[in-house]
């Protein structure tokens, strides 16, 4: 008889311990993550309120102190913010970095969808191989960079004005450190969420959104192999990525040379 799989519980700390751990992470991000900032008060409040609205809409209540990765796809903002979400106290904006989400006006490029996406153990992410495309670009970052897989999602085609949609594989990953990372802060991707290499490493090492992956690693060798051997998983790790839009909602723009673009 095959023994039942024993799944360890998610870590639970007190609110005071969560605040202390969050402060520790912020201090380390400020030292090691390129472009990290804690934002002005109005931006912090916007990140929190927009994230709370999306989480409520998705009916995914927060039951333990945890981090939520919030991404603003506003074409004029393009930043992420890690938010400390507490079940019975106000949420707290911790800070973040520039990102790039899906752009408009270019065929085969999709507008990153808003909503709540879970880093679920139903899907196994992977690591970049560091290979270059025909233009010499390492599209998902240097070799070994982490790629978080949020699954198939419905997204608006950024090059068609009639709000036509299609399916994209929503991923979070680094980008080419030499040619593309400097463009973070502007919409530029095909629909995925691009982050700085230093943020990629920090999220990977401290498992900021890997709570369910940590559970899976205890019984599934595939997840154990993916996660860093020397990781220091934070007890306030979460599993949610929330994409918001703080602007006027991003709208498609016609691609003037759409008919001439080759398939990606």
């Amino acid at each position: 008889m095959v023994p039942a799989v024993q799944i360890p519980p998610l870590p639970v700390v007190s609110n005071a311990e969560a605040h202390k751990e969050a402060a520790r992470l912020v201090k380390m991000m400020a030292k090691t993550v390129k472009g990290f900032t804690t934002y002005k008060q109005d931006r912090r409040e916007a990140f929190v309120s927009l994230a709370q609205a999306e989480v409520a809409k998705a009916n995914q209540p927060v039951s333990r102190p945890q981090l939520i990765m919030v991404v603003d796809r506003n074409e004029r903002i393009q930043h992420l913010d890690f938010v400390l979400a507490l079940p019975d106290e106000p949420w707290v904006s911790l800070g973040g970095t520039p990102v790039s989400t899906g752009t408009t006006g270019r065929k085969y490029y999709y507008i990153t969808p808003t909503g709540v996406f879970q880093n679920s153990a139903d899907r196994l992410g992977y690591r970049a191989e560091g290979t270059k495309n025909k233009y010499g670009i390492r599209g998902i970052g240097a070799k070994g960079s982490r790629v978080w897989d949020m699954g198939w999602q419905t997204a608006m085609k950024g090059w068609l004005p009639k709000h036509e949609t299609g399916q994209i594989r929503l991923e979070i990953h680094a980008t080419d450190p030499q040619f593309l990372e400097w463009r973070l802060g502007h919409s530029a991707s095909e629909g995925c969420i691009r982050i700085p290499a230093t943020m990629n490493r920090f999220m990977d090492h401290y498992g900021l959104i890997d709570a369910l992956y940590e559970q899976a690693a205890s019984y599934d060798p595939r997840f154990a192999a993916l996660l860093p051997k020397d990781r220091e998983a934070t007890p306030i790790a979460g599993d949610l990525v929330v994409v918001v839009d703080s602007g006027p909602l991003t709208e498609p723009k016609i691609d003037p040379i759409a008919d001439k673009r080759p398939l990606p």
Side-chain angles (χ1 to χ4, degrees):
M1 183 176 179
V2 178
V5 173
Q6 298 296 317
I7 302 177
L10 293 172
V12 178
V13 298
S14 68
N15 288 351
E17 291 170 326
H19 281 290
K20 184 177 180 180
E21 172 66 3
R24 183 181 78 92
L25 293 172
V26 168
K27 185 178 292 186
M28 289 191 293
M29 281 192 280
K31 289 181 179 179
T32 62
V33 175
K34 183 179 180 180
F36 179 81
T37 182
T38 53
Y39 303 119
K40 294 181 179 179
Q41 182 66 26
D42 60 336
R43 287 298 306 147
R44 295 198 298 269
E45 292 174 355
F47 271 116
V48 168
S49 62
L50 289 167
Q52 287 177 322
E54 289 291 345
V55 169
K57 188 192 306 181
N59 194 27
Q60 290 189 275
V62 171
S63 59
R64 50 177 280 272
Q66 62 186 273
L67 296 174
I68 293 179
M69 181 182 181
V70 185
V71 175
D72 190 350
R73 75 172 191 186
N74 182 341
E75 290 180 294
R76 294 174 296 180
I77 303 293
Q78 295 285 297
H79 275 74
L80 73 82
D81 184 25
F82 275 99
V83 169
L84 175 61
L86 302 163
D88 53 0
E89 282 188 11
W91 293 11
V92 182
S93 163
L94 303 181
T97 64
V99 297
S100 285
T101 65
T103 194
T104 59
R106 186 172 180 182
K107 193 175 183 181
Y108 305 122
Y109 281 60
Y110 291 75
I111 299 171
T112 306
T114 58
V116 179
F117 309 99
Q118 187 178 48
N119 187 32
S120 166
D122 291 340
R123 301 176 300 274
L124 180 65
Y126 58 99
R127 293 189 179 276
E129 295 182 355
T131 52
K132 297 179 180 180
N133 64 16
K134 62 183 178 181
Y135 303 109
I137 300 296
R138 291 171 287 178
I140 56 176
K143 184 176 181 179
S145 297
R146 182 80 179 274
V147 181
W148 289 267
D149 183 357
M150 300 293 111
W152 289 103
Q153 305 295 338
T154 300
M156 194 180 300
K157 296 178 179 180
W159 70 97
L160 296 175
K162 296 183 179 180
H163 293 188
E164 185 176 322
T165 60
Q167 292 291 299
I168 65 168
R169 194 75 178 191
L170 181 59
E171 296 178 334
I172 303 166
H173 56 73
T175 189
D176 189 284
Q178 182 178 1
F179 297 109
L180 295 180
E181 184 160 324
W182 66 272
R183 296 181 62 188
L184 294 176
H186 302 84
S187 60
S189 82
E190 296 177 32
C192 291
I193 300 166
R194 298 176 181 173
I195 60 176
T198 49
M199 177 58 86
N200 186 291
R201 288 193 292 270
F202 193 92
M203 289 173 59
D204 189 25
H205 185 75
Y206 293 100
L208 301 191
I209 59 170
D210 284 336
L212 299 182
Y213 269 43
E214 279 292 337
Q215 279 188 324
S218 69
Y219 61 84
D220 189 329
R222 299 175 304 156
F223 290 88
L226 176 68
L227 297 178
K229 298 294 184 290
D230 63 345
R231 66 189 182 276
E232 300 175 67
T234 175
I236 56 172
D239 60 353
L240 299 182
V241 176
V242 180
V243 180
V244 302
D245 194 330
S246 66
L249 292 181
T250 304
E251 289 289 331
K253 299 177 181 65
I254 295 175
D255 182 350
I257 59 170
D259 294 339
K260 299 178 181 179
R261 293 196 189 277
L263 284 168

